[in-house]
Amino acid sequence: MAALPSGVLGVIDSTSDRAVFRQIADRLREAIDKGRFKEGAKLPSESELVEHFGVSRMTVRNSLSILQSEGLVSSEHGKGVFVRPRPPVRRLASDRFARRHREQGKSAFTVEAEAAGSRPEVDSLKVREERPTSDISARLGQPRKVLARRRRYLLDGRPVEFAVSYLPLDLARDTPIAEPNPGPGGIYARLEELGHRLDHFDEEVRARMPSPDEVKTLRLASGVPVIQLVRTAYDTEGRAVEVCDTVMSADAYVLAYQLPAN
Amino acid sequence: MAALPSGVLGVIDSTSDRAVFRQIADRLREAIDKGRFKEGAKLPSESELVEHFGVSRMTVRNSLSILQSEGLVSSEHGKGVFVRPRPPVRRLASDRFARRHREQGKSAFTVEAEAAGSRPEVDSLKVREERPTSDISARLGQPRKVLARRRRYLLDGRPVEFAVSYLPLDLARDTPIAEPNPGPGGIYARLEELGHRLDHFDEEVRARMPSPDEVKTLRLASGVPVIQLVRTAYDTEGRAVEVCDTVMSADAYVLAYQLPAN
DNA sequence: CACGCCAACTCGTATAGACGAGTTGCTGAG
DNA sequence: CTCAGCAACTCGTCTATACGAGTTGGCGTG
């Protein structure tokens, strides 16, 4: 166990009324912010920090758990605690579902990923009929049953997004939309072929901490929130024809919108 | 110390390889999800949980810290641990800065808050000249200096949002925009009077965990992420005339966008 | 009755120790 | 040289204890 380089982490001010474990977290945070520990770098081990600061191990662990909940570091059993690398960010343009961008053949996700040099994958695709929750039901105009299309998206093997599309069953039953692969242009192209010309989308954006389920499905590190995007598609008659509920790893996405000033 | 109502929380499966503190967190989470503890309700105290589950206090605290980092509960020193109430959510419509909505006199924030029956407040308003960060500089077309307008927004005394507007200094110097109160219609009205007719906005939306500073400024409970919204305003010449960097408590906001399908 | 104070509760901080489990690299046997 | 296995490191889990500090309600004194 080598001694820590002096001066890198400083010492505890025992006269301060700030809790010791917070002070240690502060020092480590400073050091990370100032680049003394770079992305992916290993922090000093718990026992090194115990020795350096002269405190007990639980106190050090307490400090580290603060940084973890801030999303600054992540620990790996048997290896150490590392400065969390910022993963490449996927930018979602607000017009990604516009008709003019609808590729014949590949999905928007696939096209964008390949353009960015990543390997896209779609996973655990499930299509089935369901009774809608009251929220979904309200958004779709109170259908008794809906078709639910679930899928998970991965980039280079890493899950980044989980989405469920809901469509009124009377509209989707016995159409290509009820097939696992709805064909070129996706379900929006099929909807338009069925006479539902799309008029506009409503998108609602929320952020929150993930449920344990979402942590598992998206393999989220602790301290990473999710963005929840609920998109409702309306046809030119004003009917809501689809609701898509998407949960995204917040550290993998930036949503970009362009809005007129009128 | 009364015994806990039997059956409410179940017991630990000591044969399971799931850690005891995770199991306890699971039981409590279930109980909250199923409404056995309602919003604002007090969970059993740490010592009650210690007795009920037959574990040490640190194990119980560990469990509770999980729920806290999930944003499910928050603890109050001397009082107990409570199911976190969902605060009223403010809905931000994507057209809230459109010209047609520009009220003469009151800001969009004030109008909306009063319509929702809340008491709006604007706080720590600071206007000054600064050298821009490279990010802001790039968005504004590399001005050497900018005018920065900082302010904090509160609803019923609760801080919900912190925003900084940056404008190229050559554009804003010696105009009402450099005044603490820019007058009716806000800085967008002043920009248009100065000949910069607004054409469109770009908005970028991110979510992340807050910095310690942001926790303080927005009085955030632990386990609450922030939404960061960076809006750039462009005039009809295509010049970026303002960048507004807003950080919002994620549990107080839903962003709503309406997008054309073309 | 009014009020101050204290007891008993709450969570917050910190220590010291033990054992378990994953990872890594070295060492020694083959 | 190869490779199994061990030693030494990492973090994960859990116990037991102690004291501090904020909150609440009741009791007793004035």
Side-chain angles (χ1 to χ4, degrees):
Chain A
M1 180 156 57
L4 289 182
S6 64
V8 171
L9 285 178
V11 292
I12 298 303
D13 175 4
S14 52
T15 70
S16 163
D17 53 0
R18 187 158 177 81
V20 172
F21 74 91
R22 285 186 209 287
Q23 289 189 51
I24 295 178
D26 291 344
R27 304 304 177 132
L28 290 169
R29 195 186 301 106
E30 279 172 34
I32 293 170
D33 285 347
K34 294 193 177 164
R36 290 200 279 267
F37 298 110
K38 302 190 181 132
E39 276 192 20
K42 184 177 167 301
L43 293 191
S45 74
E46 291 177 359
S47 35
E48 282 170 330
L49 292 171
V50 162
E51 196 182 2
H52 178 84
F53 289 112
V55 297
S56 78
R57 184 168 165 229
M58 286 312 294
T59 302
V60 164
R61 281 183 63 78
N62 215 337
S63 309
L64 291 171
S65 82
I66 291 185
L67 300 183
Q68 203 160 116
S69 73
E70 289 172 356
L72 276 181
V73 306
S74 68
S75 61
E76 295 176 37
H77 192 171
K79 294 191 189 169
V81 179
F82 300 85
V83 179
R84 221 154 63 73
R86 311 246 162 263
V89 165
R90 213 163 88 80
R91 186 188 178 83
L92 286 194
S94 56
D95 63 354
R96 67 196 175 284
F97 291 114
R99 191 174 298 114
R100 68 194 134 90
H101 289 333
R102 213 168 290 152
E103 304 277 338
Q104 294 301 313
K106 293 180 178 176
S107 75
F109 180 78
T110 307
V111 173
E112 288 175 25
E114 287 175 348
S118 303
R119 178 175 53 85
E121 236 173 307
V122 181
D123 205 49
S124 48
L125 179 62
K126 285 193 197 80
V127 183
R128 68 174 197 203
E129 301 178 6
E130 291 181 7
R131 295 198 43 194
T133 64
S134 63
D135 175 60
I136 296 296
S137 182
R139 291 174 194 265
L140 282 176
Q142 312 293 346
R144 284 217 348 280
K145 293 197 78 179
V146 294
L147 186 80
R149 299 180 51 91
R150 295 186 151 68
R151 67 276 185 195
R152 186 172 70 158
Y153 295 95
L154 303 91
L155 287 181
D156 299 320
R158 179 189 170 224
V160 291
E161 180 181 343
F162 183 82
V164 192
S165 281
Y166 300 95
L167 300 100
L169 189 56
D170 67 302
L171 189 153
R173 184 167 9 208
D174 301 327
T175 74
I177 294 170
E179 302 295 322
N181 181 354
I187 63 173
Y188 290 154
R190 296 297 86 70
L191 278 169
E192 298 213 318
E193 288 167 8
L194 290 169
H196 296 283
R197 187 172 171 84
L198 296 182
D199 183 69
H200 68 276
F201 302 98
D202 276 354
E203 289 197 356
E204 285 187 0
V205 181
R206 284 176 179 74
R208 54 176 172 76
M209 292 314 281
S211 71
D213 255 16
E214 291 164 341
V215 168
K216 229 170 143 185
T217 309
L218 295 176
R219 273 186 241 142
L220 294 171
S222 64
V224 180
V226 291
I227 296 173
Q228 183 172 20
L229 197 161
V230 180
R231 181 180 56 251
T232 308
Y234 294 90
D235 67 14
T236 48
E237 322 255 286
R239 178 177 181 189
V241 292
E242 185 226 23
V243 170
C244 182
D245 185 343
T246 303
V247 176
M248 294 172 273
S249 172
D251 66 3
Y253 282 95
V254 177
L255 308 182
Y257 293 93
Q258 188 166 111
L259 313 165
N262 306 317
Chain B
M1 179 154 58
L4 289 181
S6 65
V8 170
L9 284 177
V11 292
I12 298 304
D13 175 3
S14 51
T15 70
S16 163
D17 54 0
R18 185 158 177 80
V20 172
F21 74 91
R22 286 186 208 288
Q23 290 188 52
I24 295 178
D26 292 343
R27 303 303 176 135
L28 290 169
R29 193 185 302 105
E30 277 171 35
I32 293 170
D33 286 347
K34 294 195 178 161
R36 290 200 280 265
F37 298 109
K38 300 187 184 133
E39 276 193 20
K42 184 175 167 306
L43 293 192
S45 73
E46 292 176 358
S47 36
E48 283 169 329
L49 293 170
V50 162
E51 196 183 1
H52 179 84
F53 289 112
V55 297
S56 79
R57 183 165 166 232
M58 285 311 296
T59 302
V60 164
R61 282 183 63 77
N62 214 339
S63 309
L64 291 171
S65 81
I66 291 184
L67 300 182
Q68 204 161 115
S69 73
E70 289 172 357
L72 275 182
V73 306
S74 67
S75 61
E76 294 177 39
H77 193 170
K79 294 192 189 166
V81 178
F82 300 85
V83 179
R84 221 152 65 70
R86 312 245 163 263
V89 165
R90 212 164 88 80
R91 187 186 177 84
L92 286 195
S94 56
D95 63 353
R96 68 197 176 283
F97 291 113
R99 192 175 298 112
R100 68 193 133 91
H101 289 333
R102 213 168 289 152
E103 304 278 334
Q104 295 300 310
K106 292 180 177 174
S107 75
F109 179 79
T110 308
V111 173
E112 288 175 25
E114 286 173 350
S118 304
R119 179 174 53 84
E121 235 175 307
V122 180
D123 203 49
S124 48
L125 180 61
K126 286 194 197 81
V127 183
R128 68 175 198 201
E129 302 178 4
E130 289 181 6
R131 293 198 44 194
T133 63
S134 62
D135 176 59
I136 296 298
S137 181
R139 291 175 195 264
L140 282 177
Q142 310 293 345
R144 285 215 350 278
K145 294 197 77 179
V146 293
L147 187 80
R149 298 180 52 91
R150 295 188 151 67
R151 67 277 185 194
R152 186 172 70 158
Y153 296 95
L154 302 90
L155 288 181
D156 300 319
R158 178 189 171 225
V160 292
E161 180 180 344
F162 182 83
V164 192
S165 281
Y166 301 95
L167 300 101
L169 189 55
D170 67 303
L171 192 154
R173 185 172 2 212
D174 301 328
T175 73
I177 294 171
E179 302 296 323
N181 182 353
I187 63 172
Y188 290 155
R190 296 297 85 70
L191 279 169
E192 299 212 319
E193 287 167 9
L194 289 168
H196 296 282
R197 187 173 172 82
L198 295 182
D199 183 70
H200 68 277
F201 301 97
D202 276 354
E203 288 197 356
E204 285 187 1
V205 181
R206 286 175 179 73
R208 54 176 171 76
M209 293 314 280
S211 70
D213 257 16
E214 290 164 343
V215 168
K216 228 169 143 184
T217 310
L218 295 176
R219 273 186 240 141
L220 294 170
S222 64
V224 179
V226 291
I227 297 174
Q228 182 171 22
L229 197 162
V230 180
R231 181 179 56 252
T232 308
Y234 294 90
D235 67 14
T236 49
E237 322 256 286
R239 179 178 180 187
V241 292
E242 186 227 23
V243 171
C244 182
D245 184 342
T246 303
V247 175
M248 295 170 272
S249 172
D251 65 4
Y253 282 94
V254 177
L255 309 183
Y257 294 92
Q258 187 166 112
L259 312 166
N262 305 317

